[in-house]
Amino acid sequence: VCRSNKSPWVCLTCSSVHCGRYVNGHAKKHYEDAQIPVTNHKKTEKQEKVQHTVCMDCSSYSTYCYRCDDFVVNDTKLGLVQKVREHLQNLENSAFTSDRHRKRKLLENSSLNSKLLKVNGSTTALCATGLRNLGNTCFMNAILQSLSNIQQFCCYFKELPAVELRNGKTAGRRTYHTRSQGDNNVSLVEEFRKTLCALWQGSQTAFSPESLFYVVWKIMPNFRGYQQQDAHEFMRYLLDHLHLELQGGFNGVSRSVILQENSNLSASNKCCINGASTVVTAIFGGILQNEVNCLICGTESRKFDPFLDLSLDIPSQFRNKRTKNQESGPMCTLRDCLRSFTDLEELDETELYMCHKCKKKQKSTKKFWIQKLPKVLCLHLKRFHWTAYLRNKVDTYVEFPLRGLDMKCYLLEPENSGPESCLYDLVAVVVHHGSGVGSGHYTAYAAHEGRWFHFNDSTVTLTDEETVGKAKAYILFYVERQAKPGAEKL
């Protein structure tokens, strides 16, 4: 209809080909035109069978059902879907498409140090799918791509069953060419699941997370509008709301009830730990011990604080050093930032500690220990600071390890941990480009099956470890190194 060559979908009932989702919506219109009128309540079995509900993406060979409003993996008893898939693959390998096939093979065999590869005029990389920018939504795209490469976390959501198709009118001018979604009953978990399923399917067409973005607007008013937002703040709100919803928000309990019961919750670390444990707390959850000592009477106070990520200051002595190759002074490392976070610190006059023995606020010292390390350690470098009426950015390069980050020296009881249980390997990095929090641009680097990718909204390119190591990191995601089978405790 529109002569678009992006994301062609073939109807498995009549073999007509239309543009797929988020292009111009003609595949969905074909499905809607084939529907039996609602006024006809007597739907015969024969009429049911002629509805054009199932189609296949000609690029990724994934099958989609409009009635289920989701991708499907099952087949007919005769294996007809697989036969269509094999037929399309044969066409792909035929002489008519030999040039395109040659380019795809070149892409698959490219080395880690590969330059940008162009296929059909668009820059792409091995089976990775980009996310379209819907208007300053790079902060969201960078976080989504990072989380999608944390295998344990991502697999949990992708394996969740799809929720029932929702009925309701489409709000405003939103055009979802695959989803039917009600106005009042929205599910962040469901749209997050669908977005993760769309990534890493091999599609070379960027995915448009409009449905997820709409839900974000609906339940997180802070992120409404099209202005640039803080990626770390978005990540915390996203994890918080996923945690709340997984506790019961989409199992018959309305979101409003959950939010009323947790009205005292904010984006602080505590809000993600309250209530029952979920995959969010199981993967990202750790525990800090906060020790405060009164300098007058020596009374010690201990408190345990759960956390999903650690926000680290860049020590002041490094803040004027901007590039890795700048020679003035020593280079700031991630270890410097961690040491600054955990070292003994004397609280200033504005943070006087209320000593229960002295019965008044006194000068005191504070120290953090990590009592429990998470499976995925998320480290946020505080690059934005308020000075007078402006929020400035600390542009200092911080050196960070790609492998073997040892957290043992920050543990409260290091003797109780195994030899490799405190080692972490980098899996994703979020980078902020620009000078201010309300401007600039976010991209992400992430490792997938041994290869590093650079995610820049719609564009995904292969990169190498050297390039990743030079990035001015804003958020770092480290995955706990798995102990060798022989080292496991009996």
Side-chain angles (χ1 to χ4, degrees):
V1 177
C2 60
R3 297 187 179 275
S4 171
N5 62 354
K6 296 180 179 179
S7 188
W9 284 22
V10 57
C11 175
L12 296 186
T13 303
C14 66
S15 299
S16 61
V17 179
H18 296 279
C19 62
R21 59 187 191 165
Y22 305 123
V23 182
N24 292 307
H26 289 125
K28 186 182 181 185
K29 189 175 186 304
H30 172 72
Y31 153 71
E32 291 171 341
D33 290 344
Q35 292 301 288
I36 299 170
V38 181
T39 54
N40 184 7
H41 295 289
K42 296 181 180 179
K43 298 181 179 180
T44 66
E45 186 179 350
K46 188 175 181 180
Q47 285 176 315
E48 284 284 347
K49 288 182 179 178
V50 298
Q51 293 188 28
H52 302 228
T53 58
V54 182
C55 51
M56 181 181 287
D57 187 328
C58 297
S59 299
S60 65
Y61 310 123
S62 55
T63 309
Y64 190 87
C65 177
Y66 277 104
R67 185 182 298 170
C68 299
D69 197 30
D70 207 349
F71 288 98
V72 290
V73 295
N74 48 317
D75 202 343
T76 65
K77 291 182 179 179
L78 298 176
L80 297 176
V81 174
Q82 182 59 27
K83 288 182 180 179
V84 174
R85 188 175 286 118
E86 290 172 357
H87 180 65
L88 288 174
Q89 288 173 333
N90 288 334
L91 288 175
E92 179 75 14
N93 296 331
S94 69
F96 296 104
T97 54
S98 60
D99 184 57
R100 182 182 173 192
H101 183 63
R102 179 183 60 81
K103 290 181 178 180
R104 179 174 289 185
K105 282 295 182 185
L106 174 66
L107 186 63
E108 290 173 352
N109 296 327
S110 58
S111 65
L112 287 176
N113 296 321
S114 169
K115 299 291 184 182
L116 305 188
L117 296 175
K118 291 195 173 183
V119 178
N120 290 340
S122 62
T123 305
T124 184
L126 287 166
C127 71
T129 301
L131 286 167
R132 289 187 184 176
N133 192 315
L134 306 176
N136 277 332
T137 57
C138 57
F139 68 93
M140 179 172 76
N141 292 348
I143 294 298
L144 291 175
Q145 293 286 16
S146 298
L147 294 178
S148 78
N149 285 283
I150 299 172
Q151 288 301 107
Q152 287 177 287
F153 187 69
C154 181
C155 287
Y156 174 87
F157 285 94
K158 291 199 318 191
E159 292 171 3
L160 283 176
V163 298
E164 292 181 1
L165 182 67
R166 294 186 172 87
N167 297 316
K169 295 181 180 179
T170 302
R173 298 181 180 179
R174 292 179 295 110
T175 54
Y176 301 132
H177 302 319
T178 59
R179 296 168 172 81
S180 300
Q181 189 175 42
D183 245 0
N184 300 317
N185 189 17
V186 296
S187 169
L188 179 65
V189 169
E190 173 64 3
E191 290 306 328
F192 186 67
R193 182 192 70 81
K194 289 181 177 179
T195 302
L196 293 181
C197 286
L199 301 173
W200 297 103
Q201 280 196 339
S203 174
Q204 294 177 4
T205 303
F207 177 75
S208 185
E210 289 174 300
S211 297
L212 177 61
F213 194 42
Y214 165 70
V215 175
V216 168
W217 276 22
K218 186 82 175 174
I219 65 176
M220 305 179 201
N222 293 21
F223 298 97
R224 289 178 186 167
Y226 292 96
Q227 67 272 25
Q228 184 63 276
Q229 302 280 0
D230 188 314
H232 175 250
E233 186 179 2
F234 170 73
M235 181 196 75
R236 289 308 316 274
Y237 271 87
L238 177 69
L239 293 178
D240 290 354
H241 283 280
L242 287 172
H243 175 67
L244 284 175
E245 195 172 299
L246 285 167
Q247 288 183 83
F250 70 109
N251 288 328
V253 183
S254 71
R255 178 177 302 280
S256 59
V257 171
I258 293 176
L259 293 181
Q260 285 171 8
E261 290 176 353
N262 297 278
S263 57
N264 62 328
L265 304 184
S266 64
S268 68
N269 285 325
K270 287 185 178 180
C271 73
C272 286
I273 309 299
N274 287 347
S277 175
T278 67
V279 67
V280 176
T281 54
I283 298 290
F284 292 96
I287 300 175
L288 283 176
Q289 177 176 294
N290 184 0
E291 291 181 359
V292 179
N293 280 281
C294 176
L295 291 177
I296 306 303
C297 69
T299 300
E300 183 181 87
S301 172
R302 293 181 182 179
K303 187 173 68 171
F304 294 100
D305 294 319
F307 68 88
L308 289 184
D309 68 327
L310 299 177
S311 291
L312 312 177
D313 279 306
I314 296 175
S316 55
Q317 66 266 31
F318 298 108
R319 291 187 185 177
N320 293 327
K321 187 175 175 58
R322 294 177 173 269
T323 65
K324 181 175 181 178
N325 298 323
Q326 193 170 331
E327 295 180 0
S328 58
M331 182 183 297
C332 181
T333 67
L334 186 60
R335 186 170 290 277
D336 292 321
C337 300
L338 284 165
R339 193 180 295 117
S340 174
F341 178 79
T342 56
D343 275 355
L344 190 68
E345 172 192 5
E346 185 172 337
L347 299 176
D348 59 31
E349 295 293 330
T350 61
E351 299 178 292
L352 292 178
Y353 164 66
M354 182 64 189
C355 179
H356 297 292
K357 189 173 182 179
C358 299
K359 304 295 184 185
K360 63 177 181 178
K361 290 186 176 183
Q362 301 281 30
K363 285 188 176 183
S364 57
T365 60
K366 178 180 71 173
K367 180 172 176 60
F368 283 121
W369 293 96
I370 298 176
Q371 192 203 39
K372 176 184 174 293
L373 283 165
K375 294 184 186 302
V376 174
L377 179 64
C378 179
L379 301 176
H380 161 237
L381 299 180
K382 294 182 182 178
R383 291 198 173 273
F384 300 106
H385 290 268
W386 285 102
T387 55
Y389 300 101
L390 298 174
R391 198 176 187 189
N392 292 337
K393 181 183 177 184
V394 179
D395 207 32
T396 304
Y397 170 78
V398 177
E399 188 178 47
F400 53 91
L402 270 68
R403 296 182 189 84
L405 173 65
D406 192 350
M407 296 294 293
K408 194 167 188 175
C409 59
Y410 310 109
L411 280 179
L412 181 64
E413 298 175 340
E415 64 277 3
N416 294 335
S417 59
E420 284 201 356
S421 62
C422 303
L423 294 180
Y424 286 80
D425 298 321
L426 189 69
V427 69
V429 186
V430 174
V431 181
H432 178 268
H433 311 265
S435 57
V437 66
S439 59
H441 181 60
Y442 287 98
T443 65
Y445 293 96
H448 186 85
E449 295 180 354
R451 294 182 173 90
W452 279 96
F453 295 87
H454 184 212
F455 297 91
N456 184 2
D457 288 335
S458 298
T459 304
V460 183
T461 53
L462 271 171
T463 187
D464 52 39
E465 293 185 353
E466 184 182 359
T467 303
V468 176
K470 291 179 180 177
K472 291 183 180 178
Y474 181 47
I475 306 172
L476 295 153
F477 296 89
Y478 282 92
V479 176
E480 182 182 39
R481 184 178 291 179
Q482 296 299 312
K484 297 176 182 178
E488 292 180 0
K489 294 181 179 180
L490 297 176

